[in-house]
Amino acid sequence: MKIYTRTGDKGTTSLSDGSRVSKNDILLHAYGTVDELNSFIGAIISQNPDEFLTKVQNELFVVGGMLATPVANWEKYWKVDRLAEFTAELEREIDRMSAELPPMRGFILPQGSRLIADTHICRTVCRRAERFVVALMEENEAYQKVQVLLNRLSDFFFILARFFHQKENISETLYQSAK
């Protein structure tokens, strides 16, 4: 089987139902950014193997698949309730890690080690994906379920970065105001 089809050579691609859209469509920006996030999570896993992060990657494949499927067909191909279930699981994981962390003392700069920096990259790429999904919500409220998950996932990456600071015994560097 060849990897190339040449069907995208004119700047369009197929959604799961076979309809074609521009590769510059906001939908492609949304699920392309989810795919980018998934790759960055792989960078974290390469430095810190973790079952939960692998689960996050699997759930992001579902999110990407949903975004590549017209909303009218979501129920046909996807268990939509899965988004809320995973969002709740993220919240439990955030709460678990947060309980082990000292209170925040200010804005934290995204630095400390490669692992911590990569985790902050995941946080910011996740926020970008969320912004694209917010744009999709202007067309269809059903995308809010994806937006909520991405919002919580970016919170998860923030807490995970703090958790890695503690795990690696690296002090958090706080933003210093120019005033």
Side-chain angles (χ1 to χ4, degrees):
M1 176 176 145
K2 292 182 180 182
I3 188 68
Y4 58 89
T5 62
R6 297 186 175 118
T7 58
D9 289 354
K10 293 185 179 175
T12 64
T13 192
S14 294
L15 298 180
S16 64
D17 68 347
S19 62
R20 300 211 50 95
V21 295
S22 168
K23 289 184 178 185
N24 194 35
D25 190 286
I26 191 74
L27 194 57
L28 272 318
H29 285 290
Y31 77 71
T33 305
V34 167
D35 186 37
E36 180 183 354
L37 171 59
N38 217 338
S39 296
F40 279 118
I41 294 170
I44 294 173
I45 292 170
S46 73
Q47 298 166 73
N48 186 73
D50 183 274
E51 282 183 37
F52 189 75
L53 287 174
T54 299
K55 181 171 186 163
V56 171
Q57 285 188 307
N58 278 292
E59 294 299 325
L60 285 177
F61 260 85
V62 171
V63 169
M66 288 179 75
L67 291 171
T69 302
V71 172
N73 294 335
W74 278 8
E75 294 292 338
K76 181 177 178 181
Y77 297 105
W78 305 103
K79 185 180 174 220
V80 178
D81 292 342
R82 184 176 180 156
L83 295 175
E85 292 166 10
F86 188 63
T87 300
E89 192 170 349
L90 283 169
E91 289 172 350
R92 288 189 296 275
E93 190 65 11
I94 290 166
D95 293 344
R96 181 192 67 76
M97 288 186 294
S98 293
E100 299 180 33
L101 297 173
M104 286 185 43
R105 298 174 293 126
F107 291 107
I108 300 166
L109 296 178
Q111 59 172 276
S113 71
R114 181 63 199 229
L115 179 62
I116 293 165
D118 284 345
T119 304
H120 279 290
I121 290 169
C122 286
R123 175 183 56 81
T124 59
V125 172
C126 189
R127 287 284 188 209
R128 180 164 24 100
E130 181 187 7
R131 288 190 299 272
F132 287 130
V133 171
V134 166
L136 291 169
M137 285 170 44
E138 294 172 6
E139 299 171 17
N140 191 321
E141 288 182 23
Y143 289 109
Q144 184 173 17
K145 295 172 184 179
V146 174
Q147 182 269 325
V148 170
L149 183 143
L150 292 172
N151 186 36
R152 208 66 77 250
L153 186 58
S154 64
D155 295 337
F156 165 80
F157 285 118
F158 177 76
I159 293 300
L160 184 61
R162 292 197 71 217
F163 191 79
F164 286 150
H165 271 282
Q166 184 168 303
K167 181 179 176 182
E168 294 184 338
N169 198 27
I170 298 172
S171 296
E172 294 173 333
T173 303
L174 300 180
Y175 161 75
Q176 299 296 316
S177 173
K179 291 183 179 183

